[in-house]
Amino acid sequence: QVQLVESGGGLVQAGGSLRLSCAASGRTFSWSTMAWFRQAPGKEREFVAAITWTGGNTYYADSVKGRFTSSRDNAKNTVYLQINSLKPEDTAVYYCAARLKPTISSWDYDYRYWGQGTQVTVSS
């Protein structure tokens, strides 16, 4: 079993920055892939970013490339999502997810473990 806890969300003005964290505990494997998804009100959940646990390979949705950066601290079993140049359309609940496989996927059904989410609200 893997437990994921997100933090770092909040209310920020457009153009601002946030750093989201996802702390993993339990049955964590060095070859697991971590991902971030988000869900805005009235919209489907969408893929944002993913990072492999060992190789540090990353993959981003086109809508966030150049503004979002995912990183990880293996010693702390924590992944991060740095969000810069925030836009009102970035407003959503951001979820961390874990996939106990070494390859990246942008499909939510490929991720077995999910956190409770953290709210990001961007005011214009």
Side-chain angles (χ1 to χ4, degrees):
Q1 193 74 4
V2 176
Q3 293 81 41
L4 304 174
V5 179
E6 302 98 331
S7 61
L11 173 63
V12 64
Q13 289 187 333
S17 298
L18 282 174
R19 189 177 80 157
L20 308 183
S21 300
C22 174
S25 62
R27 187 188 177 195
T28 54
F29 293 89
S30 61
W31 37 265
S32 62
T33 295
M34 306 294 291
W36 292 92
F37 290 80
R38 67 184 181 185
Q39 187 167 21
K43 295 187 177 181
E44 293 186 354
R45 185 165 56 191
E46 64 172 348
F47 170 80
V48 174
I51 184 168
T52 54
W53 198 257
T54 54
N57 293 323
T58 55
Y59 180 70
Y60 300 95
D62 288 342
S63 59
V64 305
K65 281 182 181 177
R67 298 190 300 121
F68 289 24
T69 303
S70 184
S71 60
R72 84 270 190 255
D73 184 335
N74 291 344
K76 296 181 178 180
N77 280 340
T78 300
V79 293
Y80 304 97
L81 185 67
Q82 178 68 40
I83 309 175
N84 298 326
S85 302
L86 277 158
K87 304 176 181 180
E89 51 263 42
D90 293 321
T91 295
V93 177
Y94 284 70
Y95 297 93
C96 173
R99 178 171 189 249
L100 299 183
K101 292 184 178 180
T103 53
I104 284 177
S105 171
S106 61
W107 300 103
D108 57 0
Y109 53 73
D110 279 335
Y111 291 85
R112 181 175 179 181
Y113 302 100
W114 292 81
Q116 83 288 350
T118 185
Q119 176 72 47
V120 172
T121 303
V122 184
S123 63
S124 57

